Each structure stands twice: as C-alpha cells, then as structure tokens.
Amino acid sequence: MKYKVKHTTHYQYSEAVSLCQNQARLKPISNQRQTCLSHCIRTQPEADYLDYFIDYFGNQATVFEISTQHDELIVTAESEVEIFEFRERQLFLSEEAWESVALKIQLADTPELLSTIEFAQASEFTPVSADIHAYACQSFLPGRALISATKDLMARIFNDFQYESGFTTISTPLSEVFAHKKGVCQDFAHFALACLRSLGIPGRYVSGYIETLPPEGQEKLEGADATHAWFAVYVPDLGWVDFDPTNNVMPETQHITLAVGRDFADVTPLKGIVFGGGMHQLSVAVDMNRIEE
Amino acid sequence: MYYSESHNMLQMPEWLSEYLNGSHQHDEVEHHCGGDTRHWDDLFARLANLSEKDIHLRSNEIKRLLQDSGVTQADTQELNWRLDPLPLMLSEADWKIIKKGVSQRLKLFNLIADDLYGEQKLIHEGTISAAHLHASDEYTRECFSLSHKQVKVTLLAVDLYRDRQGQFRVLQDHIQKPQGLGLLLENRVIARRVMSDEFSECNVQRIADFFNRFQRCINDSTPGSLDPRVVVLSKGPEDVYYSEQAFLAAYMGYTLVRSADLTVRKGKVWLKSLKGLKKVDLIVRWMADSQLDSLEQNDYSIDGIPGLLHAYRSKNVELINPVGSGVLECPSVTSNIKTIADKWLQEPLILQESSIVAATDPAAETLHNDPSGFELYNYADSQFKLDGDSQAGQIQEALASNNHMYYFREKPEYSSAPFWDKQALVARPIKIRCFALASADGISVLPSALCLVAGKSETENWIKDTWVTSADPQHTSVIKRKSVPTMADLALLDGVIPSRTAENLFWLGRYLERGENTVRMLRLLIDRYTEFSVYPDSNNKKIVTRLVSAAVNQAIVFPYNKYQFVEDSLVSHIPREITANILCDNQHAGSLLNTIKALVNSALQVRDLLSADSWRMIDDIRDQIKRIERLPTGFSTRVMQAIADQVISSLMAFNGSIADVMADNNGWFMLDIGRRVERSTQLVQVSSALLTEQLSDTEQLNMLEAVLISQVSLITHKRRYRMYQSIETGLELLLLDAQYPRSLLYQLEHLDHLCQLLPSSKDNGRYEAHRKLLLKMRTLCHLAEAPQLAVAEQKNRIELNKAMQQIFQLLEQFSEVLTVQYFSHTKPAVSLNSNIGSIERSEV
C-alpha cells in the first residue's frame, strides 16, 4: 500500500516573531513495516537555514531557522510511504510468556536485548506507580503469552478510557489521566507504556498518522486525517509489534509511523523556540491519500 | 612517626607546638600512619620565627585580599571562602602517586567516553550495566548523532583524600563543570603574596605552566579558524562560582558571557556584541550537559542556547568540556573504573574509591539493617547519597523498592590539617581537588590542588593553597607570556563586548550618577531644614517648603516626577522622615539604598572588567548597604549624614578607580553615556522643580544657591559672576554653558561625542535616531537665551519650564532608542511544542 501524506502545521502569533528555531520529526521512519519513498519540508516564510540529522532512536530530525519577521508560520511536510503487508502469521509463532520476556530483558546479554532495556524503564511521561502496576497485572496474568496479554491490555484501555480531546494537555500527569480515565491517543499510549514498564517489558512510543475513511457515499474531507500516537511492544525474535489502544487495533496498513522513542518527548513532531510572538494559535491538518493499493 | 617525636618541640613557637602536641588520629602534619612528614620541615623552619600575632595578621591580610578579589563574593548565595594562611604541604613522593593516578584517570575517562558514545563494548561485555547507565540523566543521547566522535574530556577535576593507611583515594569527579581552577589560581596569587618568603624557601612547584598549556590547548582546539573567538559561558551571578569564573576568564583573557549573549544563526554560534554578531569558535562552559540547548534538549532550561547542539554537531563550535562528558561522573561508570583499568590498560587503578559493595550482593546483607560506616549511592544518579550513620531509615526505604540500583560505599575517613581559627590552630578534615588537562601533547596534571574542608557546611568553606615541594629548583620566571598575542587579547582590543555588558555599563553609569545626586540632595535637605529649625527666617521658609515638596513628590530624586506643590509640606511631613525615606526606604525606587543596590548588581554583571581596586569600592558599598539595612528606627540626622558621606566617598573612589581604564574602545564609554544621561535628566528636573517659580530677589538667590550647591557649582558661579549673580547667570551656567563640565549643554555635547563611538549602520553620513534626538536637545540649548528663560509671567517661568520638559522627554526617548538599538537583542524566548492528539476515534 502506498500513501501520500501532507501534514500542515500552522502557527498564528499575536505579535511579530523576529526569529524562530525549530526541530521537526516529520519524516516517516523506514523500518520493517514501511519505507519512506520521498519526503520534503517547506516553510512559509522560507527557512534561511535547513539541515537534518538522525537521532539516537533512528528518527530523522529536521533543523530549521527562520529569521524573516513573521506573525504566521506554516510548516508543510509531504511524504510518500509504502507500507508492507503485515506478517500476522508470525505473531502466532511467538507464544512466549511475558514473564520469560521480562526475565530475558533483565538478564540481557545480546546487543539487541541490551538496546531494549531503556524502553523498559519509566520515563518522564510514563511514571510507574503501584496503581498502574495493579491495572497491568489484570491483563498480564501469570504464564500468559506476551502478545495476548498486550492485546488484552489494549482492549481494556479502549473500553475503560474515554476519548475526549481537550481534557488533557501535554502537561497533564498520567495519574490524572488514569484517575479520570479520559484523554487522547497520546495519553493512552503513555498509559499503556507505563503498564508495560511496570512489569519490566520494553515498550516504545510511536508517533504517526492514521487514515480515516469517510462514511459510505461521502467524499473524504480535506485535512480530515490526523496525527496519531500508539505504542509498540518488544517481542524477542520478532522485534517491535505495534498496538493502537485508541482504536483497539494492531496497526496494519492504515497507520504510518513518523518516529519512535521512549515517550512523546523523544518524538515531538515540531518544537521550536521563538523570540517575540506573544500568544499563539496552532492548527494541524493531515491529508493521507492512497496512491497505490 | 609522630612529627612531634622526631622534632624538637622546644624550637617551635608555642602556637605550632600546641597543635603538634595535640592528640591527632590522622593528621597531615602530625601523623599519617608512619608516613614521612619531612616535607613540612622547611615551612615550619620558616614559621618558627613567627609569633601568634604574626600569623593572625597574615590571616587578616588574606581576608582583606580575598574580599578585594571578589572571589569570596557571590550575589544570592554567599559562599564565603576562607583561605588559611598555612598551605597544605605535599611531599614529592606523594605527588608522584597523585600525578600518575590523576593522569591515569583522565586517560581512562577518555577511553570510556569514546566507547560509551560509540561501540559500547563496555555494555556489551557487561562491564557497565545498561540498566544503570540508561537510567541516568547524564547519559546524553544527543551525542550519538554527532558526526564526529569527540567526547574528549579536556579538563578533569577530581577530589581526593588520604585514608588511614596513608593511601590517596577518590571521592568524586567533576567533569561537566571542573570548578575550582579559578579559585585555586586566586589562592596561589594571594598565598604567594602573604607568604612570599616561605614560598620561595620551600621550593614549591609552579602552576603558571599549566594555565599556559590550557590556553594553548584551547587555541589548538579550533584548528579551522585562524582567529578563534573563545568565550567563557557562565550562568551569571546566581552561580556561587561566578566570581571564580570571572576571574579565570579575565586571567586567560577570554570574554565572559551568559547564555543570553549568545545566539545560534544558520548553524553557527554568535556573540551578540555592541558591533553586531561575532562568530564564536569555542565555548568554555560552566554549565551542565542537560542545560545547554533549550530547543533540542527535553528539560527546558532558561540558561540554554537554542540550537547550540546542532551547531556543535555541524562542527561549527567547540565545547570544553564536550557535551556528554557528564556521563563519566555517573556512579555506574566510576564504580567500575577499576575493572576497566585492569581490562583495558592492563594495569591496576592507582587512585581507587573506598571499597564498594552492590546492595544486591549477599555480602551487603548486614548493611541493609546496619549501614553505619557506609554511604548508599545510586548507580544512575550522581547526586544521590545517603549517610549510613544518620539516614539508616531512608536507606532502608530506598532499598525496599529497587535495590539493584544501589550500592554501598565505605565512608571516607579524611585526614586533618591545621587551620588558623581565631587564635589557634585547629584540626579540620580535608580533601584536595586536583586538576588535569588532556591536550595534543598528552596529559598534564596541575602541580598543586585546591585543599578544601571536607563535608559539613556549604556556606563557609575553609580552603588552603597546596604546595608540592620539589627537589629540583623551580624556574624563577613568573608567568611566561606567549610571544604572539592571543586571539582573546585581540577580541578585547577590537571592542567586541557583549551587548549585555554594554547595557550593564550604561546602567552602572546611571546608578553611579544617581547615587551621587541622591546623596547631594539628601545633604542639601538636611542642611536647609536644620538651618531653618534654628533660624526660622521667613525668607527661608519658602525655600525649605519648596525643597521638601520637591522631595516628597520625588521631583528632584529618581524617578524625577513632575513637581507639585505640597500644601503645608513642613507641617504634614516631618523633614527628618522625608530624608530618612530618601536614604533607606525600600519601597521608594529612587532611595539611596535601592540605587546603590542596583549599582552593586550592575557592577556584579561586569565583574570581569573591574580591577581589584574598583571591586574593593563595590565591596565597601555592599557594607554600606548592610549598614543602612540594619539601621534602627529613629536614627539621628548625624548618622544619616555620616552614611551619606561614606557612600559618596565610595562612589568617588570608584569613579577614580575606573578613570584610568575607561578607554573608549572596550565599551567603557557606555558607562560615561549612562552617567551623562542621568546627569542631564537630573539637571533638567531640578531646574524645573526649583527654579521655575519667580521669587523675591533674596529668596531667589537663596534658592539658586541651594540648586548650585546640589550641582557642586556654587563656587564656580560665585567666582565667575561675583556681584552680578542672578537667576540669569545661574541658568546660563547650569544649562547653557557649553564649556562648563557640569552644565546641561556640556553633557549633551559630550553625549554626542560618545555616541560617535557606537557602531553605526548608516554609511551615507546621515544621523542615526539617537543622534537626531541629541541634535534636537543641543539645538534647544544653543538657541535658548538665559534672560528669556528667566522671564516670568505671573511668577511662573513658562519658557524655562517648557524647555526643560521638552528636553526631559527627549532624554527619555534617547534612552529608549539606545536600548532598542544596542541592548535588546535579548527578547525572551518562548518554547513551543506541537501537541499530538486531537483526533476522533476513527472506525478502522
């Protein structure tokens, strides 16, 4: 499946900005699930400096600077991505119990296992608590296979938590998300990761896009697709397997991965420091269209 | 062998023998496990001639010198370093071990850094636990995306102590910020001055060469640039080590900056200087790894420079020490360094920590219940430490949750050394901080150390200079200056000063002038009302009333409000109270107290430009602030006058001390600009507050006299106009005389001259905005005639008032234009993060 994605971020400022410096993680990563065929970032006003580097987690970070005075900034990222057919059959090959995986991580001795250790550690956005551990344990029953337990956890989050945009912000602590059982995809991904990490299982945060389909008979609206976030769990011998608790699905061909990290802080799609600017308004629009079945 | 047993104590002065005869368990002089203590002989032989009083005098002399140098001062947190007159003596044998050990340690650190940010063999082979390392904040993931592997530690500071067996052991490493080098240097300068004879007798190893190497190493670190610009990045006066950083920067001739002075543009780092942006090639940073870049790094730091890491990544700037070197301070690394030395160098680690045992180790089981004699450390957190003797409960709590993150380390048993405290020598536990430098020519260790009192209070730190004796004669050449001027010297000549420094100089000038004016007004008020209370002459009444009114509504002191007559000012406002308010009211922005506080603050910001003599005056002013703050209520007028006298002498002395260094090309002219703006403002306001009302001839002359006194112009006026003195002559002298140094027009002409030193963006010969404003003001003065200004309608000098108000407004605009054009490159930065997540559940 091939997609063309257009991701537009629009900032409007109440006062003029004299200089802004930014880092974007808007180029879809290439991995075993997908390949990024082409990618470009445009800004308006035009950036007078643009460079990129590959970060610790393998994501491409784009660095740009705008020194033209402006009160509006538009960042447009366009990419073409091919998603490979999902090898679901392989999943059934892994019936490894979650305790055995946790133990492997604890006794890690291969470079691959060693590299997953930091994903099993609590992070700023995924603090581990006794409550969260208890919640996780209801899915992670003794002896249960890792994949089946994770599926169960995903389903419980989907059912127990209510999707409500605007209830949380990036600074809402996870404990509050848990207490009210409300939030957005980002909160659910963080919560699921905290659950996994409370058990010593490596999980990583995934930022990306999800394709939405219009109700039957209607035209798809422009900008209707969305930036999205979910998580992946590490399964020995298989690698990272994705789970989307917001939709209770295991991403197949409708999820495009942008970047991966320990939590949101590692993959923030666009961050910046502006000089001036006053108050700002932000709007994001994503268009994700199939160019080849 | 006890020192006291092998030496004839009768030859020692009493103050020394008393100490040596005391019962010391583990002392540097008296006894350390049978170690040789002969290296103290030369020192003691010299000191034998000194009486208790001599030592005391030297101790006081040191206190004074330290205070002058400013090293003992920090703005918010007072960190009082107390340098002891007696140095710590280290034998050549001891030094050999330390030198070898510290070199080995630095060599190891560089190998480890290379590996951890590269292949990670140490992790793959299991020497360092990934769980420990990855959990620590100092593990800098940003380093992995560097195109060049260059986490190469240049400067290492390591704290050592001598254990009971006489072995030196490692206490702690300082790599992100190897603090203390400036302090050590400063100590040596003072110790050499106070103990000059002893110093030369003892054949002490010199340290200047180390600093030369350091400087060479810095210059060599920027091979791509022929004219590298080096800056020393400090957090500013809030950092308790600020003075030290300023001292080091000044000594090495580098520009001291704060993060707001630097900006990243197009992947390069620039210094925001008065002359625009200047590229920076190397930053000696006194800031932690995690605080360097507020854009890229997750912990938003107000001290960060957005984009710095990418500039570093693009090899456009060098950092000393490099980003990521903090990982080497992590217990997960240091606790394994012994194994690494065995493995990689095939040699034993020379300087070891005291013995450690992992909390999960069966051998540590008894320690869980009784950790006395041990300290608990966290592999992932270099700041974490719990004392087994006083924090056993917390230790058990910590171990209950996650015991594989912790280990026990035996508590250090410090040796003691004699310190001169008040009247006698007292034994205090010590540690020594050693410094090493890795450069192209290999590793060199500074042949001295900062000797600090170990443990205890953070606010009062006793320090000693450390003398390493040598059998070889020392070179007598003091400090070998390089034959070529360093680039930093050129930078100073070239007038590249940060805009922030320029701004602080400008304000320093304003506060100096404002302080002076406030004192003069204070004196005038005191003088006039005391006279009035003794001779309640009706001629004087009007003048005193007006003066008091002008003081009450702050027309003649900052903030220079518009004059308003205050009904019955003499009845409702007790003049003594008004003067007391001008002196020390915290709420009054223009009180002398607030003015000199602001002055000290500005001076602190340009600490590195001030000489020791200037700094002494600032120090006096600090003392005066303390005295004013401690004044009891209802203090007498006499006390007020005494304080005013002291403040003004300090201000004058400060002015005198900077007169020589105020060369035009290094930014000092900004101070002069500030001073002249303030003086003009004040002349204008005083004239409009006190001279715009037409009075009877006698009253008028009395009032003029008061104003002339406040402007230190009475004598000139009398001499020049003798029997023709009138309001006209007064206005002529104070406002319109272009040659009289205290007149308004003179200030304006001078300002215009000074402004030509400011960099200009106009190359077509036209005036810049600020000079246009000056031209307006100068024109107003040049066109004005004193007799016309003196004309009054209904007792009111409308012309004078109008002119003064116009100039007042123009002066305000002038100050604003300067700020916008030359100072304010430092708008506050705002951090923006796009947020994921406003999607509806989609049906997939």
Side-chain angles (χ1 to χ4, degrees):
Chain A
M1 184 86 69
K2 278 187 191 166
Y3 285 98
K4 193 179 174 108
V5 190
K6 184 173 165 193
H7 178 173
T8 312
T9 313
H10 192 155
Y11 283 103
Q12 265 183 311
Y13 304 100
S14 61
E15 287 163 32
V17 170
S18 54
L19 173 71
C20 81
Q21 276 152 332
N22 304 275
Q23 275 197 5
R25 281 177 174 75
L26 291 170
K27 181 187 177 189
I29 198 169
S30 291
N31 60 18
Q32 51 182 2
R33 267 196 64 220
Q34 65 177 38
T35 299
C36 179
L37 302 168
S38 71
H39 169 75
C40 79
I41 282 189
R42 279 176 292 121
T43 67
Q44 194 189 333
E46 210 171 309
D48 42 15
Y49 175 79
L50 197 140
D51 197 10
Y52 68 89
F53 67 93
I54 306 296
D55 74 10
Y56 180 76
F57 301 102
N59 310 306
Q60 177 179 310
T62 309
V63 180
F64 62 91
E65 176 187 306
I66 296 167
S67 57
T68 318
Q69 186 150 2
H70 59 279
D71 48 21
E72 184 181 53
L73 169 66
I74 302 169
V75 180
T76 313
E78 283 182 291
S79 317
E80 282 183 6
V81 182
E82 178 169 8
I83 301 178
F84 306 127
E85 286 304 313
F86 191 54
R87 299 153 298 163
E88 184 151 15
R89 270 181 303 123
Q90 291 186 7
L91 282 188
F92 296 106
L93 297 177
S94 175
E95 279 295 321
E96 189 167 357
W98 68 268
E99 293 101 324
S100 142
V101 176
L103 190 68
K104 268 188 185 160
I105 302 305
Q106 215 179 342
L107 305 173
D109 53 0
T110 66
E112 183 176 321
L113 285 174
L114 284 163
S115 73
T116 65
I117 286 178
E118 59 197 310
F119 294 99
Q121 291 173 341
S123 70
E124 191 192 342
F125 289 108
T126 63
V128 166
S129 69
D131 291 354
I132 289 177
H133 179 72
Y135 185 91
C137 283
Q138 290 176 43
S139 294
F140 285 75
L141 299 168
R144 196 166 186 181
L146 174 61
I147 289 179
S148 130
T150 312
K151 262 186 172 168
D152 187 66
L153 175 70
M154 168 174 79
R156 281 174 55 227
I157 294 174
F158 177 77
N159 291 317
D160 293 350
F161 286 66
Q162 195 187 333
Y163 192 98
E164 191 173 318
S165 59
F167 176 75
T168 54
T169 68
I170 188 63
S171 50
T172 308
L174 200 59
S175 57
E176 205 166 306
V177 173
F178 188 33
H180 295 90
K181 302 243 171 24
K182 275 182 196 169
V184 293
C185 55
Q186 177 178 293
D187 304 308
F188 302 159
H190 281 151
F191 180 75
L193 288 172
C195 286
L196 291 174
R197 292 169 184 180
S198 75
L199 301 162
I201 293 173
R204 70 184 189 188
Y205 183 96
V206 186
S207 81
Y209 307 112
I210 185 168
E211 182 193 35
T212 54
L213 296 175
E216 210 146 315
Q218 285 182 28
E219 279 281 304
K220 187 170 169 179
L221 299 172
E222 192 144 328
D225 300 294
T227 54
H228 193 34
W230 59 95
F231 72 95
V233 68
Y234 177 75
V235 183
D237 306 326
L238 271 184
W240 295 95
V241 179
D242 289 13
F243 292 84
D244 177 358
T246 310
N247 298 299
N248 195 19
V249 295
M250 296 182 64
E252 289 178 45
T253 53
Q254 287 182 292
H255 287 67
I256 292 179
T257 303
L258 264 179
V260 295
R262 288 165 299 168
D263 60 24
F264 175 74
D266 287 334
V267 299
T268 314
L270 184 59
K271 57 184 179 180
I273 300 280
V274 298
F275 294 85
M279 308 283 287
H280 72 271
Q281 272 194 323
L282 166 71
S283 61
V284 177
V286 175
D287 286 303
M288 183 169 161
N289 291 306
R290 300 183 180 201
I291 47 177
E292 203 177 279
E293 289 294 322
Chain B
M1 175 86 70
Y2 284 85
Y3 195 91
S4 48
E5 285 172 3
S6 60
H7 292 75
N8 184 355
M9 284 294 112
L10 294 173
Q11 286 174 357
M12 295 275 172
E14 205 185 317
W15 57 271
L16 194 52
S17 59
E18 228 167 67
Y19 181 85
L20 295 174
N21 286 327
S23 58
H24 303 292
Q25 295 298 312
H26 176 33
D27 191 80
E28 284 294 324
V29 189
E30 179 54 10
H31 172 245
H32 49 79
C33 309
D36 194 347
T37 51
R38 271 177 301 174
H39 53 283
W40 290 87
D41 289 356
D42 282 339
L43 178 69
F44 287 164
R46 291 291 317 181
L47 295 178
N49 304 321
L50 298 182
S51 69
E52 194 176 302
K53 202 171 162 215
D54 292 330
I55 292 289
H56 194 65
L57 285 177
R58 290 188 185 204
S59 158
N60 284 342
E61 166 82 353
I62 285 175
K63 220 182 271 174
R64 191 182 64 75
L65 288 168
L66 264 180
Q67 204 173 28
D68 294 349
S69 75
V71 163
T72 55
Q73 305 286 348
D75 190 31
T76 43
Q77 275 167 286
E78 291 280 320
L79 196 69
N80 287 320
W81 298 107
R82 297 184 59 171
L83 175 62
D84 192 65
L86 293 184
L88 173 73
M89 303 300 287
L90 282 181
S91 68
E92 206 171 7
D94 280 342
W95 184 250
K96 260 187 190 154
I97 295 171
I98 292 177
K99 190 176 164 187
K100 231 175 128 188
V102 174
S103 302
Q104 185 196 42
R105 203 167 176 86
L106 181 50
K107 188 170 161 192
L108 275 167
F109 276 143
N110 274 325
L111 291 173
I112 296 170
D114 234 25
D115 180 67
L116 289 182
Y117 292 119
E119 281 184 87
Q120 299 207 324
K121 276 191 289 186
L122 287 172
I123 293 179
H124 297 159
E125 289 167 6
T127 312
I128 291 177
S129 144
H132 295 160
L133 186 73
H134 288 164
S136 70
D137 289 339
E138 281 86 9
Y139 179 61
T140 310
R141 290 174 174 80
E142 289 83 354
C143 287
F144 286 87
S145 42
L146 301 178
S147 53
H148 49 319
K149 293 279 175 283
Q150 58 159 26
V151 184
K152 188 158 172 45
V153 177
T154 301
L155 189 62
L156 164 73
V158 54
D159 290 349
L160 306 177
Y161 68 99
R162 195 199 293 267
D163 73 7
R164 276 179 178 275
Q165 284 71 47
Q167 303 291 313
F168 285 99
R169 288 189 178 272
V170 172
L171 197 63
Q172 203 187 351
D173 301 287
H174 306 269
I175 301 170
Q176 300 182 71
K177 299 180 283 178
Q179 315 265 37
L181 200 55
L183 194 59
L184 182 147
L185 183 64
E186 181 70 359
N187 284 346
R188 173 56 63 91
V189 172
I190 292 172
R192 272 197 61 178
R193 178 163 158 186
V194 178
M195 310 286 282
S196 54
D197 293 346
E198 293 78 5
F199 188 85
S200 47
E201 290 282 319
C202 293
N203 214 7
V204 181
Q205 295 199 28
R206 307 294 162 111
I207 61 173
D209 184 51
F210 182 85
F211 288 89
N212 287 341
R213 271 171 197 261
F214 188 26
Q215 201 152 22
R216 214 176 311 135
C217 173
I218 286 173
N219 287 350
D220 290 348
S221 301
T222 53
S225 177
L226 280 174
D227 177 14
R229 179 163 289 117
V230 178
V231 298
V232 175
L233 176 62
S234 160
K235 274 191 178 181
E238 299 80 57
D239 191 328
V240 290
Y241 283 95
Y242 176 64
S243 301
E244 172 199 71
Q245 292 155 5
F247 183 82
L248 198 61
Y251 179 85
M252 311 234 301
Y254 299 135
T255 313
L256 182 73
V257 302
R258 297 169 62 180
S259 47
D261 298 331
L262 299 180
T263 182
V264 175
R265 300 285 166 88
K266 299 193 176 149
K268 297 190 170 94
V269 182
W270 305 85
L271 172 66
K272 295 183 244 180
S273 86
L274 206 52
K275 290 192 175 167
L277 298 179
K278 300 281 173 185
K279 185 174 178 284
V280 171
D281 300 293
L282 188 140
I283 303 172
V284 180
R285 50 114 179 191
W286 297 108
M287 231 178 257
D289 283 342
S290 61
Q291 295 176 330
L292 290 171
D293 187 339
S294 44
L295 170 63
E296 186 167 332
Q297 291 178 310
N298 290 340
D299 297 334
Y300 182 77
S301 149
I302 51 160
D303 294 309
I305 301 153
L308 177 63
L309 287 186
H310 196 65
Y312 180 62
R313 187 176 290 125
S314 314
K315 290 192 189 180
N316 287 329
V317 71
E318 292 295 327
L319 282 163
I320 285 181
N321 279 332
V323 183
S325 48
V327 76
L328 302 166
E329 296 170 3
C330 277
S332 56
V333 171
T334 53
S335 65
N336 290 308
I337 197 162
K338 194 172 161 218
T339 321
I340 302 171
D342 286 341
K343 235 184 201 171
W344 286 3
L345 300 180
Q346 277 98 41
E347 56 187 49
L349 185 67
I350 299 165
L351 295 169
Q352 305 197 357
E353 290 183 54
S354 56
S355 62
I356 60 175
V357 50
T360 47
D361 193 315
E365 220 164 279
T366 53
L367 292 176
H368 286 241
N369 295 322
D370 178 19
S372 58
F374 280 80
E375 284 163 334
L376 187 72
Y377 285 84
N378 185 323
Y379 285 111
D381 182 353
S382 53
Q383 304 301 314
F384 181 94
K385 185 167 101 180
L386 290 175
D387 183 343
D389 292 313
S390 58
Q391 295 169 305
Q394 281 158 273
I395 287 182
Q396 276 163 12
E397 226 168 87
L399 291 177
S401 64
N402 216 355
N403 68 1
H404 72 272
M405 291 308 282
Y406 299 95
Y407 67 94
F408 290 97
R409 185 169 99 173
E410 213 176 329
K411 274 175 83 166
E413 288 181 295
Y414 302 106
S415 62
S416 60
F419 283 80
W420 184 259
D421 191 359
K422 295 186 184 81
Q423 304 297 329
L425 287 176
V426 177
R428 292 179 200 276
I430 56 155
K431 58 181 178 185
I432 57 172
R433 184 169 298 173
C434 299
F435 295 88
L437 177 76
S439 64
D441 341 326
I443 293 173
S444 43
V445 179
L446 179 91
S448 173
L450 191 63
C451 172
L452 301 146
V453 168
K456 307 287 180 246
S457 153
E458 271 296 310
T459 50
E460 187 169 78
N461 283 290
W462 294 76
I463 42 176
K464 273 179 182 295
D465 190 16
T466 302
W467 291 4
V468 177
T469 56
S470 165
D472 307 327
Q474 294 296 304
H475 313 288
T476 38
S477 70
V478 191
I479 291 173
K480 221 169 80 194
R481 286 277 168 211
K482 281 170 299 301
S483 49
V484 280
T486 66
M487 298 312 160
D489 297 338
L490 295 177
L492 280 176
L493 290 176
D494 162 49
V496 179
I497 62 160
S499 299
R500 184 188 48 81
T501 306
E503 183 172 13
N504 279 307
L505 285 170
F506 172 78
W507 283 104
L508 183 58
R510 290 199 72 158
Y511 293 133
L512 280 168
E513 190 64 26
R514 188 176 297 169
E516 208 182 305
N517 175 54
T518 313
V519 170
R520 295 198 199 285
M521 285 303 170
L522 200 64
R523 281 178 170 171
L524 182 69
L525 280 164
I526 295 172
D527 183 54
R528 291 293 132 137
Y529 85 65
T530 28
E531 189 186 323
F532 183 68
S533 56
V534 185
Y535 309 105
D537 181 345
S538 64
N539 274 338
N540 272 335
K541 184 170 179 186
K542 215 160 192 175
I543 292 161
V544 179
T545 314
R546 192 159 179 112
L547 265 177
V548 172
S549 292
V552 169
N553 58 44
Q554 297 163 11
I556 50 172
V557 289
F558 182 82
Y560 305 115
N561 295 327
K562 204 168 172 327
Y563 173 79
Q564 274 172 336
F565 181 66
V566 179
E567 200 73 44
D568 288 334
S569 59
L570 284 188
V571 184
S572 54
H573 297 271
I574 305 159
R576 210 203 66 85
E577 260 175 28
I578 295 159
T579 43
N581 284 350
I582 293 181
L583 179 73
C584 59
D585 187 353
N586 242 329
Q587 307 299 314
H588 171 16
S591 70
L592 185 62
L593 177 64
N594 281 334
T595 304
I596 57 178
K597 271 185 180 171
L599 185 152
V600 168
N601 193 38
S602 299
L604 208 58
Q605 305 277 350
V606 293
R607 172 74 190 86
D608 52 321
L609 298 181
L610 297 179
S611 68
D613 288 328
S614 306
W615 193 254
R616 178 158 51 237
M617 297 310 140
I618 295 296
D619 230 52
D620 287 348
I621 295 173
R622 284 166 167 248
D623 290 343
Q624 285 146 12
I625 291 174
K626 282 187 201 144
R627 284 189 50 188
I628 296 176
E629 283 176 330
R630 274 196 230 114
L631 280 178
T633 46
F635 51 88
S636 70
T637 310
R638 199 180 46 73
V639 170
M640 232 185 287
Q641 268 166 323
I643 289 178
D645 287 350
Q646 282 169 355
V647 172
I648 207 157
S649 1
S650 302
L651 294 177
M652 297 317 248
F654 182 83
N655 287 340
S657 76
I658 56 173
D660 286 347
V661 296
M662 288 211 355
D664 286 345
N665 54 3
N666 56 12
W668 279 101
F669 69 95
M670 288 307 309
L671 185 141
D672 213 11
I673 291 184
R675 189 203 302 275
R676 307 231 173 240
V677 168
E678 185 76 19
R679 190 178 287 177
S680 309
T681 309
Q682 175 228 334
L683 266 166
V684 163
Q685 282 313 89
V686 168
S687 307
S688 87
L690 302 179
L691 297 178
T692 47
E693 185 187 6
Q694 189 182 37
L695 305 166
S696 76
D697 284 355
T698 335
E699 286 170 339
Q700 188 68 76
L701 278 181
N702 279 347
M703 182 54 104
L704 181 64
E705 192 180 290
V707 172
L708 287 168
I709 287 173
S710 78
Q711 299 306 318
V712 219
S713 299
L714 184 67
I715 292 167
T716 310
H717 190 253
K718 272 190 178 158
R719 279 206 183 149
R720 209 183 267 192
Y721 301 102
R722 296 167 198 274
M723 52 213 292
Y724 308 107
Q725 295 178 48
S726 67
I727 182 74
E728 286 87 352
T729 60
L731 292 176
E732 175 88 31
L733 183 72
L734 284 175
L735 304 177
L736 308 180
D737 190 326
Q739 257 135 38
Y740 177 55
R742 295 206 63 102
S743 83
L744 175 64
L745 184 55
Y746 184 91
Q747 311 309 316
L748 297 173
E749 293 291 348
H750 204 76
L751 272 173
D752 191 53
H753 165 74
L754 290 168
C755 281
Q756 292 173 41
L757 297 169
L758 284 166
S760 162
S761 57
K762 295 258 192 309
D763 48 11
N764 54 2
R766 284 183 54 80
Y767 274 19
E768 303 241 11
H770 56 281
R771 283 192 73 198
K772 284 186 183 163
L773 291 166
L774 280 174
L775 182 63
K776 270 191 197 169
M777 294 186 259
R778 285 159 55 214
T779 310
L780 276 168
C781 288
H782 278 296
L783 294 178
E785 296 293 344
Q788 258 169 310
L789 292 178
V791 170
E793 271 177 54
Q794 292 166 341
K795 306 229 164 216
N796 195 359
R797 298 202 172 92
I798 297 169
E799 284 287 315
L800 176 64
N801 208 3
K802 206 176 98 192
M804 292 300 106
Q805 278 187 19
Q806 254 178 319
I807 295 179
F808 181 70
Q809 279 163 9
L810 288 167
L811 277 168
E812 288 207 318
Q813 283 175 33
F814 173 77
S815 193
E816 228 174 87
V817 167
L818 273 192
T819 307
V820 170
Q821 198 157 348
Y822 293 102
F823 305 150
S824 72
H825 309 296
T826 53
K827 278 187 200 162
V830 187
S831 170
L832 297 176
N833 282 337
S834 68
N835 205 343
I836 281 202
S838 39
I839 64 152
E840 296 306 315
R841 256 178 226 230
S842 47
E843 298 302 320
V844 183

